[in-house]
Amino acid sequence: MLHYDEPSWQIAHRIRFDFNNLMADTIGEAHGFTEAELGRQTEVAQAALAAVQAKRDTGWLRWMGLPYQPVDDLLATAADVRARFKNFVVLGIGGSALGAIALQDALLHPYHNQLPDDARGGPRLYVLDNIDPDWLLALLDVLNPTETCFDVITKSGSTAETMSQFLWTRQLLVDRLGEQRYAEHVIATTDAAKGSLRPLVDQENYHSCVVPDGVGGRFSVLSAVGLLPAAVAGIDIRGLLAGAAYADRISATPDLWQNTALMYALTQYLAYRRGQPLSVMMPYAQGLRTVADWYAQLWAESLGKAEDHQGQVVNVGPTPIKALGATDQHSQAQLYIAGPRDKIFTFVTVDKFANELPIPTWRTGQSAVDYLGGHTINELLAAEAEGTALALAAAGRPNATFKVSEVNAFTLGQLFYLLEIATAISGELYNIDAFNQPGVEAGKVRAYALLGRPGYEAQAAEIEALRGKRKARYEI
Ligand code: PA5
């Protein structure tokens, strides 16, 4: 039995959700929830959970089965890449990139790419999730394409950013290796049958991985989209899936007071309804900074919707805000504590970091400095997190904390899945489809029209008409 399958180990690494500072007992009746209020909403929350469970593994909820997928093929692909390449570059954007970035930041050495080869123990990992030309070209100053594997990740195969990056990197490879050999450096991660990339896989004979049916980009971190880059870099992907499966189990209970995802989703929803549409996520761990980025996309793209299930215009959706403790205490905290009462806060804290860093003692005679000696940086960070939560609570600002035992594959997989299921439950609470993204498509379509893609002539005409209304004096 692997350690993460042992019940006592799992319990020790269960992510706790401390919502004391959301409750009236702590922050007062005017600002907090009472148990009676949560009790009155229990049935609504349970109905939302039941609706999610009823759709489990169907339609766009097939990501719920990802914790149980076999990964032998993925691990074999990763082993092959590790043996053949010095660098692994992900080409992708949005849900096709944010998971890999979060995994890289949370579970690899913070300076993974700069480590000497023997200390790194695997390829360098780069995730190109933007199309700034200077940034893209700069990659060639630090890696040689002939020592590199490019994983082009796009479910649709039609995302202009990703496909233009792919055209660029393909040409680099063809120029250096020739038409015959370049394909050995390409992995295509895309839909099994649909989209514009799949035919190229067959035509060019690329190695390919599948974005499974019913798994949208922002719910794909635990598919080949996130798992292959993770496995190539040496991350324990079985541990990730074990953590996700554990979260799946916890999230199945209809008992609101035992179900982390359900309590999180309900309290966030109630906060929105009572006038707190801004939802701040603030990890107190450098490695979890981009988990907040991943979460912001998940929350925003899933819950920001124009229409409800019945087609009524509702224009709902909480606005996720990413922050980082302790850094943003010196940037955002003033606004959070004293500004408008339009926010709910979620901290993510870590009980045990891989290292403990003592603060040396030096008696300077300065009381603002001398008290630090003898403590650890770990204690200071924990005190900063608790201090901020308490300051917010004292100001009647609702806040809760996900408490993570340590950042490892199991806890990260658990966190991903808890937040995914909380998002699906929230979709039901808002009575919207959490799995479409017409707003994103609207932007994509206009970009296609601007670049003259056939089939988008009507949008091009609309853009021209809008451009005709522009006034020079409005641009100064
Ligand atoms: O979550 C989503 O669906 C989006 O963010 C997509 O991941 C993003 O638009 C990229 O799409 P694709 O994977 O089709 O290139």
Side-chain angles (χ1 to χ4, degrees):
M1 188 192 263
L2 293 163
H3 61 283
Y4 40 64
D5 291 333
E6 285 170 16
S8 60
W9 194 89
Q10 291 180 340
I11 290 166
H13 292 281
R14 176 173 173 155
I15 294 175
R16 286 113 57 215
F17 181 54
D18 179 347
F19 55 97
N20 274 285
N21 292 344
L22 295 181
M23 301 301 287
D25 298 339
T26 314
I27 61 174
E29 292 259 338
H31 307 294
F33 304 117
T34 61
E35 285 202 28
E37 194 179 351
L38 294 182
R40 282 195 297 277
Q41 297 297 331
T42 300
E43 279 184 22
V44 174
Q46 288 170 336
L49 175 66
V52 171
Q53 294 292 5
K55 291 185 231 170
R56 188 188 173 92
D57 301 333
T58 65
W60 284 103
L61 279 91
R62 279 180 245 180
W63 53 269
M64 294 183 78
L66 292 176
Y68 312 102
Q69 73 195 286
V71 289
D72 290 347
D73 287 353
L74 266 179
L75 287 169
T77 302
D80 177 54
V81 170
R82 287 168 66 83
R84 289 200 294 133
F85 297 103
K86 283 197 172 168
N87 312 297
F88 189 77
V89 176
V90 171
L91 311 175
I93 198 163
S96 290
L98 286 161
I101 295 171
L103 284 162
Q104 174 179 31
D105 289 344
L107 296 178
L108 297 182
H109 187 288
Y111 301 101
H112 176 82
N113 287 351
Q114 286 101 310
L115 288 175
D117 288 353
D118 53 345
R120 197 175 53 249
R124 298 184 193 91
L125 173 60
Y126 300 89
V127 183
L128 303 187
D129 70 336
N130 205 351
I131 47 167
D132 176 318
D134 295 340
W135 186 62
L136 290 178
L137 277 169
L139 188 72
L140 301 182
D141 295 333
V142 295
L143 62 70
N144 178 349
T146 64
E147 298 174 334
T148 304
C149 177
F150 293 89
D151 182 11
V152 51
I153 306 181
T154 167
K155 184 171 175 68
S156 63
S158 58
T159 301
E161 294 89 339
T162 307
M163 291 313 285
S164 56
Q165 284 178 342
F166 175 56
L167 293 173
W168 171 61
T169 50
R170 179 191 167 278
Q171 194 60 51
L172 288 175
L173 291 170
V174 169
D175 290 348
R176 286 162 173 80
L177 298 163
E179 291 278 358
Q180 299 304 315
R181 288 194 41 224
Y182 93 91
E184 293 163 17
H185 290 247
V186 175
I187 295 177
T189 302
T190 190
D191 193 275
K194 296 191 286 288
S196 319
L197 186 56
R198 182 54 59 183
L200 300 179
V201 170
D202 303 331
Q203 179 189 306
E204 302 290 290
N205 205 18
Y206 299 143
H207 184 90
S208 86
C209 294
V210 170
V211 187
D213 275 352
V215 176
R218 57 191 176 275
F219 289 86
S220 69
V221 58
L222 298 174
S223 75
V225 172
L227 294 185
L228 181 63
V232 166
I235 289 169
D236 170 17
I237 64 171
R238 289 192 201 280
L240 283 169
L241 297 183
Y246 182 59
D248 188 26
R249 243 185 20 246
I250 295 168
S251 307
T253 174
D255 181 349
L256 175 65
W257 297 86
Q258 294 298 323
N259 187 328
T260 311
L262 190 58
M263 184 61 91
Y264 179 73
L266 178 65
T267 50
Q268 288 279 320
Y269 173 72
L270 294 176
Y272 178 89
R273 287 289 177 217
R274 72 179 180 195
Q276 286 156 336
L278 307 184
S279 175
V280 177
M281 174 160 288
M282 189 164 178
Y284 272 77
Q286 191 72 21
L288 298 181
R289 183 175 57 88
T290 50
V291 171
D293 287 354
W294 168 86
Y295 167 73
Q297 189 226 6
L298 179 73
W299 205 239
E301 217 167 276
S302 302
L303 303 180
K305 295 292 153 72
E307 292 177 3
D308 67 11
H309 277 313
Q310 287 71 40
Q312 301 294 319
V313 175
V314 285
N315 297 118
V316 288
T319 300
I321 296 172
K322 310 168 280 190
L324 176 68
T327 307
D328 284 323
Q329 279 180 223
H330 301 269
S331 159
Q332 311 290 323
Q334 170 61 31
L335 171 74
Y336 293 167
I337 290 171
R341 294 183 178 279
D342 53 3
K343 301 175 196 67
I344 178 167
F345 303 87
T346 306
F347 299 107
V348 185
T349 59
V350 176
D351 295 345
K352 191 170 177 291
F353 286 82
N355 298 286
E356 190 172 78
L357 182 54
I359 304 174
T361 300
W362 179 33
R363 298 288 167 222
T364 64
Q366 302 293 323
S367 62
V369 175
D370 288 357
Y371 75 98
L372 292 168
H375 289 290
T376 62
I377 292 280
N378 308 55
E379 287 174 322
L380 177 59
L381 187 63
E384 299 277 358
E386 195 178 346
T388 303
L390 290 172
L392 285 166
R397 313 287 165 135
N399 66 90
T401 303
F402 283 118
K403 295 180 171 173
V404 179
S405 56
E406 62 183 35
V407 179
N408 60 38
F410 182 87
T411 54
L412 193 64
Q414 201 185 144
L415 187 59
F416 282 140
Y417 197 92
L418 281 175
L419 293 171
E420 286 177 341
I421 197 144
T423 304
I425 294 167
S426 301
E428 296 298 332
L429 292 170
Y430 283 97
N431 188 31
I432 50 96
D433 180 352
F435 301 100
N436 62 9
Q437 52 281 326
V440 180
E441 305 303 331
K444 285 187 179 182
V445 158
R446 281 165 180 78
Y448 300 154
L450 284 166
L451 290 181
R453 181 173 162 188
Y456 294 85
E457 293 75 14
Q459 287 83 0
E462 190 186 292
I463 290 167
E464 274 316 304
L466 265 178
R467 281 179 166 170
K469 293 183 186 165
R470 289 176 60 84
K471 293 184 180 157
R473 67 196 176 91
Y474 292 169
E475 186 172 335
I476 55 176

